[in-house]
Amino acid sequence: MTAGDGSLPAGSDPIATPAVPQAGLLNIANVLTVVRLLLVPFFLWLLFTDGTWWRIAALVVFGVASFTDRVDGQLARSRNLVTDFGKIADPIADKALTGSALVGLSLLGDLWWWVTIVILVREIGITLLRFVVIRYGVIAASRGGKLKTMLQVFAIGFYVMPGPIDLLRWVTMGAAVIVTVVTGLDYVLKAWRLWVDGRAGRTADGR
């Protein structure tokens, strides 16, 4: 039979699984990511307001914003809502939240500036690296990256939390810094491999 009488084109697979369409840009996972970004200035306002109860309120907002990171990722994977926007916007939202918290805590004198600088240099550097190699592919968040984010969230939370818990703060922030540096080096290696493979593919195509 021919294509004109309703048959399949020659060489096609009649039982092939149809391609799953990519989720639309406006979905619950992406909405939660945007909400996390919008909570950042509200958190900072609470953080810089004097008073124990304001600190507790800042901790609650930070916790809610951080929780949306876990929820939007689970929803994106379980409901097939993964989009290129989400792959890029999600880590940016994470960095906006943690970065603003680190800078705010350092400005208040609660956290050493060298810790903030080390973490921010890694986070900003990796984000820029993602955009540099995006023409060759997207580097999705790894398990190590998720562990890094979790440690940073807990460490920052302990620093925001009022009370005499200095030892707990130092231990968790120290672990966060170590994992942050190690995973940063891992991302650099992945980006290098992606760039090399992409350049090799373009050369093979004669471009």
Side-chain angles (χ1 to χ4, degrees), residues 6-51:
S7 65
L8 294 172
S12 63
D13 186 354
I15 60 173
T17 303
V20 179
Q22 188 181 44
L25 182 63
L26 185 61
N27 62 65
I28 184 62
N30 288 344
V31 169
L32 287 174
T33 298
V34 174
V35 168
R36 185 158 69 258
L37 279 169
L38 295 177
L39 285 175
V40 170
F42 184 48
F43 160 73
L44 286 175
W45 175 69
L46 293 171
L47 182 65
F48 281 96
T49 303
D50 290 331

Side-chain angles (χ1 to χ4, degrees), residues 25-87:
L25 182 63
L26 185 61
N27 62 65
I28 184 62
N30 288 344
V31 169
L32 287 174
T33 298
V34 174
V35 168
R36 185 158 69 258
L37 279 169
L38 295 177
L39 285 175
V40 170
F42 184 48
F43 160 73
L44 286 175
W45 175 69
L46 293 171
L47 182 65
F48 281 96
T49 303
D50 290 331
T52 300
W53 288 107
W54 291 109
R55 267 299 183 100
I56 294 175
L59 177 63
V60 171
V61 172
F62 181 78
V64 170
S66 300
F67 182 69
T68 63
D69 177 42
R70 180 178 179 83
V71 174
D72 64 11
Q74 290 180 338
L75 288 173
R77 290 185 294 270
S78 64
R79 300 188 181 184
N80 192 34
L81 299 177
V82 178
T83 62
D84 288 340
F85 170 82
K87 291 179 181 178

